Amino acid sequence: DAGVIQSPRHEVTEMGQEVTLRCKPISGHNSLFWYRQTMMRGLELLIYFNNNVPIDDSGMPEDRFSAKMPNASFSTLKIQPSEPRDSAVYFCASSSRGGTGELFFGEGSRLTVL
Amino acid sequence: AQSVTQLGSHVSVSEGALVLLRCNYSSSVPPYLFWYVQYPNQGLQLLLKYTSAATLVKGINGFEAEFKKSETSFHLTKPSAHMSDAAEYFCAVRTNSGYSTLTFGKGTMLLVSP
């Protein structure tokens, strides 16, 4: 079975550029989560969706960050404009309805903003 | 609010020695608890989970954890460490928000020496 698929795996960009990270959740999962991992802050929940609807985006650090889930099989996390402090690994995870809360993680997108 | 605390950002053991990684939780409701492992440049992988059934939970790769309500703990153990166990380990608690969000601890890096 295919797991959570994220792209790109690595992104290097310059400050001020727009960055788009992509995620395909596991088929049949109805919840999708975006996490950010840094050395200083650990794993932070940015936003999560249930049935394609954003439920809680209180973890999104600034208005420069936005996330969408146009359908059950695709989500994007966009940063515009990007800043060096956005450098981190961004993880997408999904889970199924009625489960025990187990999250299935993608391999992550490592973002470096110069 | 639910939270977890992992004691020790780094734990060093010799190959063949007992592994003990500590996790204490705070929860206003009976918790669902999880241990995840992260190998370098990879996503998080579920090791085991506690969902109010048996208090001693067995997971993959020979790991197990015991839920102790009186101590609010969910420590992860393995009788004999292998070099391949070197990774970062995260304890997490399900946030009882009606959706399957997880709050993660800061992580513990396990170092295994020959």
Side-chain angles (χ1 to χ4, degrees):
Chain A
D1 288 343
V4 176
I5 299 172
Q6 292 187 245
S7 64
R9 288 294 314 276
H10 301 274
E11 174 93 4
V12 180
T13 190
E14 293 188 347
M15 183 173 61
Q17 296 299 305
E18 177 179 294
V19 173
T20 300
L21 308 178
R22 298 172 177 80
C23 175
K24 176 179 170 57
I26 292 173
S27 178
H29 283 189
N30 69 314
S31 295
L32 183 140
F33 307 79
W34 283 100
Y35 281 86
R36 178 172 68 175
Q37 185 179 37
T38 61
M39 290 289 290
M40 293 298 294
R41 295 176 176 267
L43 273 164
E44 303 173 277
L45 177 62
L46 300 178
I47 185 171
Y48 67 95
F49 297 81
N50 193 63
N51 294 328
N52 313 336
V53 176
I55 303 300
D56 185 351
D57 65 354
S58 60
M60 297 284 262
E62 300 172 30
D63 290 346
R64 299 183 295 105
F65 286 69
S66 63
K68 295 182 179 180
M69 191 165 186
N71 57 62
S73 59
F74 183 66
S75 176
T76 60
L77 177 68
K78 186 174 293 187
I79 308 172
Q80 167 63 20
S82 58
E83 297 183 2
R85 58 190 167 133
D86 302 330
S87 297
V89 181
Y90 292 82
F91 287 103
C92 177
S94 68
S95 69
S96 60
R97 182 197 311 272
T100 54
E102 174 184 351
L103 299 188
F104 295 80
F105 281 81
E107 298 277 276
S109 294
R110 181 176 295 276
L111 173 65
T112 301
V113 183
L114 303 175
Chain B
Q2 285 73 21
S3 66
V4 291
T5 301
Q6 292 184 241
L7 299 178
S9 59
H10 292 78
V11 170
S12 295
V13 300
S14 299
E15 193 172 20
L18 172 71
V19 175
L20 171 60
L21 305 181
R22 300 177 185 273
C23 173
N24 288 88
Y25 70 90
S26 172
S27 177
S28 57
V29 298
Y32 283 7
L33 294 160
F34 305 80
W35 275 100
Y36 280 82
V37 61
Q38 184 180 28
Y39 298 102
N41 300 315
Q42 294 187 24
L44 280 73
Q45 177 185 359
L46 182 70
L47 269 180
L48 50 80
K49 60 184 176 183
Y50 168 76
T51 58
S52 73
T55 56
L56 182 63
V57 182
K58 294 186 184 298
I60 62 172
N61 302 338
F63 284 92
E64 62 182 37
E66 185 172 8
F67 173 73
K68 292 187 176 181
K69 183 177 179 180
S70 61
E71 299 177 7
T72 62
S73 69
F74 190 56
H75 301 333
L76 182 70
T77 60
K78 182 174 181 177
S80 176
H82 294 165
M83 296 295 290
S84 60
D85 295 326
E88 189 157 22
Y89 292 80
F90 293 89
C91 183
V93 61
R94 178 175 177 174
T95 309
N96 188 31
S97 64
Y99 299 97
S100 298
T101 58
L102 297 186
T103 298
F104 287 86
K106 295 288 188 184
T108 298
M109 183 68 72
L110 177 65
L111 307 171
V112 183
S113 57

